[in-house]
Amino acid sequence: MISKACQYGIRATIFIVSRHHDGVKLNISEIAREVDAPEAFMAKILQVLSKHRIITSLKGPYGGFFIEDFQLEQPVIKIVNAIDGMSVFEECGLGLKQCSASHPCPMHDQYKIARDALQNAFLHTSLRKLAQEVNEGDSFIKNLALKKSESC
Amino acid sequence: MISKACQYGIRATIFIVSRHHDGVKLNISEIAREVDAPEAFMAKILQVLSKHRIITSLKGPYGGFFIEDFQLEQPVIKIVNAIDGMSVFEECGLGLKQCSASHPCPMHDQYKIARDALQNAFLHTSLRKLAQEVNEGDSFIKNLALKKSESC
DNA sequence: TTAATAAAGGATAAAAATGTCCTTTATTAA
DNA sequence: TTAATAAAGGACATTTTTATCCTTTATTAA
Ligand code: FES
Ligand code: FES
């Protein structure tokens, strides 16, 4: 569906946005820790997002990752596009090389509905909105930490 | 989304169902050719479908793969479950270890809608129905063969 | 200018998914 | 019973995805 790299990227970006105030910058290890991602892998992903100007980075002491005002209203789909590309939203569910209404696979109609719903979910949700939800405590980007006694 | 193995499996099964008459049996190479899948890989996939009793196989001369009457009304989701498992329909879209309404990720509500739509698509579609569509020429399990002059 | 800090980037490793090859087993017809 | 046929199954190879390590570059404060 959505690659792990992309999921880390989305969670990381939401975290960065949720800390968007008074020039705060976050470094890789903080971000990786917050979203339960391996640090070096997280670094690669943030690199891509930075190169796509979805987030902004600054090297050196007092540097790190942050988000600028003009980046706040971007839809999450930008992250998906930067990391995974748009193919999830375009490809045939049964693996035909082309998805088209003129040469459809037998699941085309039903599949397209779900695929479009997914695309709309990512298209019509802004980074700002997601971060706001997290800041208000309504949702989370970090796994629930279970005590040893609790099972999954 | 759906693994390649699973897509081959679904297309292959639809093909087998579409040829469900008078004890016709299909062998691996016919099936692989029809669904544009590598033969040896197709063999592995048919093996698991057979073991899950989604299709039936018979060894030896005049053997091959076919479908029995009692197998016709199975929903496609059985194939997905046999090959990929049910995790696509259960996991968090942003990669949290648990998807739950009590500790939701910030995309939970929107994502769940799309994910459930996908599950319903596979759950409420029977093999028989898909094969019928193909037999009536309304849809296809094989890629459109392009002439050399035509581009993608 | 220098030392320290943090991201960028290159190279490599590990794991998972996809794909291939070859031997074994079951079934059939002759 | 034997030879032929076709799936089952084991082992291995390739590709893609995920993850790690180390060096280089940019920036800052002292
Ligand atoms: S052709 Fe298969 S989903 Fe459109
Ligand atoms: S918690 Fe993320 S989709 Fe349910």
Side-chain angles (χ1 to χ4, degrees), chain A residues 39-111:
Chain A
E39 195 170 315
F41 193 35
M42 188 79 267
K44 293 291 182 201
I45 296 162
L46 292 172
Q47 222 175 94
V48 173
L49 296 178
S50 177
K51 226 180 301 192
H52 277 78
R53 304 209 171 262
I54 290 165
I55 58 179
T56 305
S57 71
L58 216 62
K59 287 182 179 181
Y62 298 83
F65 296 91
F66 59 101
I67 198 137
E68 301 183 74
D69 288 339
F70 80 91
Q71 295 169 318
L72 283 172
E73 291 300 330
Q74 297 175 102
V76 221
I77 205 170
K78 272 203 155 190
I79 300 174
V80 179
N81 181 46
I83 297 172
D84 285 351
M86 295 296 273
S87 51
V88 225
F89 309 121
E90 295 162 356
E91 286 175 349
C92 168
L94 299 191
L96 294 185
K97 281 173 196 156
Q98 285 279 332
C99 168
S100 80
S102 58
H103 186 86
C105 75
M107 291 222 38
H108 176 82
D109 291 345
Q110 305 100 297
Y111 184 80

Side-chain angles (χ1 to χ4, degrees), chain A residues 11 139-140, chain B residues 90-112 115:
Chain A
R11 304 223 303 281
S139 61
F140 310 85
Chain B
E90 295 163 355
E91 286 176 349
C92 168
L94 300 192
L96 294 185
K97 281 172 196 156
Q98 285 279 330
C99 168
S100 80
S102 59
H103 187 86
C105 74
M107 291 222 40
H108 177 82
D109 291 348
Q110 305 101 299
Y111 184 81
K112 193 172 186 308
R115 199 185 57 186

Side-chain angles (χ1 to χ4, degrees), chain B residues 79-140:
Chain B
I79 299 174
V80 179
N81 181 46
I83 298 172
D84 285 353
M86 296 295 271
S87 51
V88 224
F89 309 122
E90 295 163 355
E91 286 176 349
C92 168
L94 300 192
L96 294 185
K97 281 172 196 156
Q98 285 279 330
C99 168
S100 80
S102 59
H103 187 86
C105 74
M107 291 222 40
H108 177 82
D109 291 348
Q110 305 101 299
Y111 184 81
K112 193 172 186 308
I113 289 173
R115 199 185 57 186
D116 286 351
L118 189 73
Q119 177 164 28
N120 284 326
F122 286 110
L123 186 62
H124 297 125
T125 309
S126 71
L127 301 179
R128 192 196 45 68
K129 182 173 154 197
L130 292 174
Q132 184 189 336
E133 262 211 49
V134 171
N135 279 335
E136 289 171 352
D138 295 330
S139 62
F140 309 86

Side-chain angles (χ1 to χ4, degrees), chain B residues 13-64:
Chain B
T13 304
I14 296 174
F15 175 53
I16 293 167
V17 175
S18 77
R19 293 290 180 83
H20 168 68
H21 33 52
D22 23 276
V24 173
K25 301 192 194 69
L26 302 158
N27 62 38
I28 292 169
S29 58
E30 276 180 280
I31 298 171
R33 194 176 335 113
E34 180 70 21
V35 307
D36 292 315
E39 197 170 315
F41 194 35
M42 187 81 265
K44 293 292 182 200
I45 297 162
L46 292 171
Q47 223 173 93
V48 342
L49 295 178
S50 177
K51 225 180 301 192
H52 277 80
R53 304 210 171 263
I54 290 165
I55 59 178
T56 305
S57 71
L58 215 62
K59 287 181 178 181
Y62 297 84

